[in-house]
Amino acid sequence: MTTPSQSASRRRARLILAVVALVVPSAALAHAVVFPKTSSPGAYEKYVLRVPNERDVPTIRVEIRFPAGLRVVSFGDVADWKLQVLTDSAERITGAVWTGSLARERFIEFPFVAVNPKDSTRLTWPTIQTYSNGEVVEWANTDSTAKTPVSSTIVSDTPSTPVKVSHTSLYISLLALLLALTALGVALRPRGLEVESPR
């Protein structure tokens, strides 16, 4: 038979799981990403590599490899970061390495300008992030559901249909999060001792 304290513990556990399920998806989006996500064939495009620091130690090095068919022509300056441009034997720019220091819970953006391929394609941006403790994270997995997915940009004449989020679903999601947090607070609140009434 389940006691009242066991039931309360199970309710608390379910509430905590519900809150985690609501909060974790937003945290999982923190990856090394190149913007924009779509562009046109042959376009002279400004791209930005956005890198967050997801550890308790500084990020000290970021390396990106550029897709074949893309012609990188220039880079923007990033304060306190040193740029090394990587080239092949034909002097074509194949990648870039930035070194500096990015504190925890911060992000940084590295801008560059490139000319897109003339045909429709999917550009991928393998990125390597190095932390001061020696940890290396390779954002290069082609599986979008992986922990370290590679960022990509669709180059196409056909504009992609943006994902529309209705205001109603947004409000419902926010309300659900608020209710879950309130319920969690109520469930975890210390309760006074119950006095058994005499029979």
Side-chain angles (χ1 to χ4, degrees):
M1 182 174 177
T2 305
T3 65
S5 63
Q6 289 174 327
S7 294
S9 295
R10 287 181 182 163
R11 279 197 305 273
R12 276 189 225 117
R14 282 195 294 269
L15 286 170
I16 290 169
L17 288 174
V19 170
V20 168
L22 287 168
V23 174
V24 166
S26 61
L29 295 176
H31 298 315
V33 180
V34 173
F35 295 97
K37 303 300 288 174
T38 59
S39 189
S40 302
Y44 190 83
E45 185 73 75
K46 176 190 174 184
Y47 287 101
V48 175
L49 168 61
R50 181 180 298 160
V51 180
N53 186 345
E54 300 177 299
R55 301 291 187 267
D56 289 330
V57 295
T59 291
I60 58 170
R61 184 179 188 275
V62 176
E63 178 179 346
I64 187 172
R65 291 293 174 160
F66 298 124
L70 183 82
R71 186 167 59 89
V72 177
V73 295
S74 63
F75 296 88
D77 290 327
V78 179
D80 302 320
W81 283 76
K82 182 180 176 184
L83 168 66
Q84 176 190 1
V85 178
L86 306 176
T87 59
D88 61 15
S89 58
E91 296 300 311
R92 185 182 78 85
I93 297 174
T94 58
V97 177
W98 290 271
T99 51
S101 184
L102 176 65
R104 69 187 189 101
E105 298 179 352
R106 299 291 186 271
F107 73 89
I108 194 163
E109 294 183 331
F110 301 105
F112 57 95
V113 173
V115 179
N116 288 338
K118 292 182 179 178
D119 298 320
S120 296
T121 189
R122 177 176 177 262
L123 302 175
T124 56
W125 312 94
T127 303
I128 302 170
Q129 182 173 8
T130 304
Y131 292 91
S132 62
N133 63 359
E135 180 185 2
V136 175
V137 178
E138 294 189 28
W139 301 100
N141 199 316
T142 54
D143 180 357
S144 61
T145 63
K147 287 180 68 175
T148 55
V150 68
S151 180
S152 63
T153 298
I154 301 299
V155 174
S156 175
D157 278 325
T158 308
S160 62
T161 306
V163 177
K164 294 184 179 178
V165 178
S166 72
H167 291 292
T168 304
S169 61
L170 177 61
Y171 295 142
I172 290 172
S173 298
L174 291 174
L175 181 60
L177 178 59
L178 181 63
L179 289 174
L181 291 173
T182 303
L184 180 62
V186 170
L188 296 177
R189 184 180 61 197
R191 301 194 189 292
L193 293 174
E194 293 182 5
V195 179
E196 189 175 321
S197 58
R199 295 184 181 182

